[in-house]
Amino acid sequence: MNKKQKDQTTEQKILEAARAVFMEQGMAGARMQDIADKAGINKALLHYYFRNKNKLFEVIFLDAAARFMPRVSMLFESEQPLFDKIRAFTTTYMNMLSENPYLPTFILTEMHKQDGAKFLEKIWGGEKPPVEKLAAQVRKEAAKGIIKPINPLELILNMVSMCVFPFAAKPMAKLVFNLSEAQFKQVMEQRKTSVAQFIIDSIRK
Amino acid sequence: MNKKQKDQTTEQKILEAARAVFMEQGMAGARMQDIADKAGINKALLHYYFRNKNKLFEVIFLDAAARFMPRVSMLFESEQPLFDKIRAFTTTYMNMLSENPYLPTFILTEMHKQDGAKFLEKIWGGEKPPVEKLAAQVRKEAAKGIIKPINPLELILNMVSMCVFPFAAKPMAKLVFNLSEAQFKQVMEQRKTSVAQFIIDSIRK
DNA sequence: AGATAGTTTAACCAAATAGTTAAAACAAAA
DNA sequence: TTTTGTTTTAACTATTTGGTTAAACTATCT
């Protein structure tokens, strides 16, 4: 048996190319030939490494989904004050999104078509993040009078919405607000702190 | 020459079917045969009415895009107080989204691929909504001490984000929060008022 | 060198799918 | 009824595309 000690193994090249093509074109729009070309190999070799399009897609999709539903243990487990959690989450999450611009639309679109339960199983082993932990904290801080009462589910939805949506809507936002690429980036940079502030201003008593 | 006085003209049936299929499957995933089947006609007739897939897609896409970028004249033109505008916009917009669940992901995905300038031209005749009007009001009310100073662009982004994203992320939200269809609808119903309140709470001084 | 296991390729195949054609059915007017 | 223009269809064509095959190449070990 022999191992590749080259700069980048063929499998890595394939995965990288597949990620790029699937993210931009989606499952239906992606062409195996395009993936092969981008990886600098030919189509047969692609099928040698990944039996078919579905198998390859599944690998990419699961990896992307895992990244999109981030390690929220930070949010649910630790004993930080709520405001700190909000600040930490929004900046961390938006930093990740800056580096994965196609991730949101890709995941959202494909989630409409794939069997959700199946992927949940593979990502979290059938378990969901313990939303109840965070909910308890929200209720507790509300009782203490630190924040207004708010449905924790709505709080999370609002937070994730404001982080994700502007990236998903980037082409439209640039159009409507007449922004250059640089200007758009600048706005997103600002938002890495302003979103948390917006939320905190809303729920603080 | 003869006009159809039937319940629904063939062209209408086609457009309705095409809208449904394109919205669910996207441009790449949609099959002309499926559209024909859904319209209850055959493929050749489809091509008789719309020369090819691209032409048909363009009609659907433009109509959808126009609906997605709503008549925001309400927001930009009228002389209502800012808080009233926010309340009016969020409920109106979310009502529309409730009835067009696939609209957000469809538009966001296809916007990545289509030439934005081209569609802007067709939708607004090259003009963009006068964001400056709203910006002026935001600055004015901030000066009066009614609201905190905020970048108007960020205010709009936040507002639209919280309206749109939960619909786009519906399958994922149902999964993560363990919601039935009915429960999801209920949450969205609540949000039709709570989103505006969340924003107002944040910017009110 | 020769054998062996793993890797890569060019050429091919079969299925799916966008688009065409020519003729039949239909409706309205003459 | 006949004519005329429109609507509808079945059958066909061309192209794209996912997937296969069999042979050639490469590195490693004996």
Side-chain angles (χ1 to χ4, degrees), chain B residues 29-105:
Chain B
R31 295 293 104 106
M32 293 298 266
Q33 188 62 62
D34 292 347
I35 295 173
D37 290 349
K38 195 155 218 163
I41 58 170
N42 88 7
K43 222 176 30 158
L45 185 55
L46 193 55
H47 281 89
Y48 173 78
Y49 275 89
F50 298 89
R51 199 178 314 263
N52 57 43
K53 193 180 175 183
N54 279 310
K55 285 259 192 293
L56 180 54
F57 175 79
E58 195 174 342
V59 174
I60 300 300
F61 179 72
L62 283 176
D63 176 72
R67 219 176 315 174
F68 187 72
M69 309 213 225
R71 289 281 111 256
V72 277
S73 46
M74 166 217 307
L75 260 184
F76 300 115
E77 302 295 346
S78 89
E79 282 305 321
Q80 279 183 300
L82 184 61
F83 290 173
D84 289 347
K85 285 187 181 178
I86 292 173
R87 276 186 280 260
F89 173 84
T90 50
T91 56
T92 307
Y93 198 47
M94 289 182 76
N95 273 327
M96 184 277 289
L97 291 171
S98 300
E99 284 153 24
N100 299 274
Y102 285 96
L103 189 58
T105 41

Side-chain angles (χ1 to χ4, degrees), chain B:
Chain B
M1 40 271 13
N2 75 38
K3 284 257 136 73
K4 269 284 168 59
Q5 60 271 60
K6 275 176 147 186
D7 319 340
Q8 216 186 8
T9 169
T10 302
E11 190 172 340
Q12 287 176 319
K13 285 193 292 182
I14 291 176
L15 287 172
E16 192 175 302
R19 183 151 33 236
V21 174
F22 276 130
M23 290 254 190
E24 279 191 40
Q25 307 297 331
M27 167 63 173
R31 295 293 104 106
M32 293 298 266
Q33 188 62 62
D34 292 347
I35 295 173
D37 290 349
K38 195 155 218 163
I41 58 170
N42 88 7
K43 222 176 30 158
L45 185 55
L46 193 55
H47 281 89
Y48 173 78
Y49 275 89
F50 298 89
R51 199 178 314 263
N52 57 43
K53 193 180 175 183
N54 279 310
K55 285 259 192 293
L56 180 54
F57 175 79
E58 195 174 342
V59 174
I60 300 300
F61 179 72
L62 283 176
D63 176 72
R67 219 176 315 174
F68 187 72
M69 309 213 225
R71 289 281 111 256
V72 277
S73 46
M74 166 217 307
L75 260 184
F76 300 115
E77 302 295 346
S78 89
E79 282 305 321
Q80 279 183 300
L82 184 61
F83 290 173
D84 289 347
K85 285 187 181 178
I86 292 173
R87 276 186 280 260
F89 173 84
T90 50
T91 56
T92 307
Y93 198 47
M94 289 182 76
N95 273 327
M96 184 277 289
L97 291 171
S98 300
E99 284 153 24
N100 299 274
Y102 285 96
L103 189 58
T105 41
F106 173 70
I107 292 295
L108 295 178
T109 305
E110 300 299 338
M111 276 295 288
H112 276 301
K113 294 164 198 164
Q114 309 297 327
D115 174 13
K118 182 177 147 201
F119 292 105
L120 182 64
E121 178 68 32
K122 295 211 178 180
I123 290 171
W124 288 321
E127 306 214 346
K128 284 138 197 162
V131 180
E132 195 38 47
K133 281 259 175 75
L134 184 70
Q137 179 170 21
V138 169
R139 279 191 292 269
K140 194 174 124 195
E141 302 214 3
K144 276 192 197 167
I146 301 171
I147 62 167
K148 298 170 191 153
I150 181 173
N151 180 348
L153 194 154
E154 291 219 44
L155 178 59
I156 297 174
L157 274 181
N158 289 343
M159 182 167 62
V160 177
S161 295
M162 287 188 278
C163 288
V164 175
F165 180 81
F167 288 100
K170 175 177 169 176
M172 184 162 297
K174 285 177 68 173
L175 218 84
V176 171
F177 298 116
N178 227 345
L179 301 175
S180 69
E181 183 65 28
Q183 287 172 317
F184 179 82
K185 269 192 178 149
Q186 202 188 320
V187 173
M188 290 303 123
E189 204 53 43
Q190 273 181 225
R191 288 181 66 82
K192 283 177 189 172
T193 60
S194 69
V195 164
Q197 197 54 50
F198 188 88
I199 297 170
I200 291 169
D201 282 348
S202 179
I203 63 177
R204 169 188 281 138
K205 217 167 188 170

Side-chain angles (χ1 to χ4, degrees), chain A residues 13-22 25-60:
Chain A
K13 285 193 293 183
I14 292 177
L15 286 172
E16 192 176 302
R19 183 150 34 235
V21 174
F22 276 130
Q25 307 296 333
M27 167 62 174
R31 295 293 101 104
M32 293 298 267
Q33 187 63 61
D34 292 346
I35 295 173
D37 290 349
K38 195 155 221 166
I41 59 172
N42 89 1
K43 218 175 34 156
L45 185 55
L46 192 54
H47 282 90
Y48 173 78
Y49 276 88
F50 297 89
R51 198 177 314 262
N52 58 42
K53 194 180 176 185
N54 277 309
K55 285 259 193 293
L56 179 55
F57 175 79
E58 194 173 345
V59 173
I60 301 299

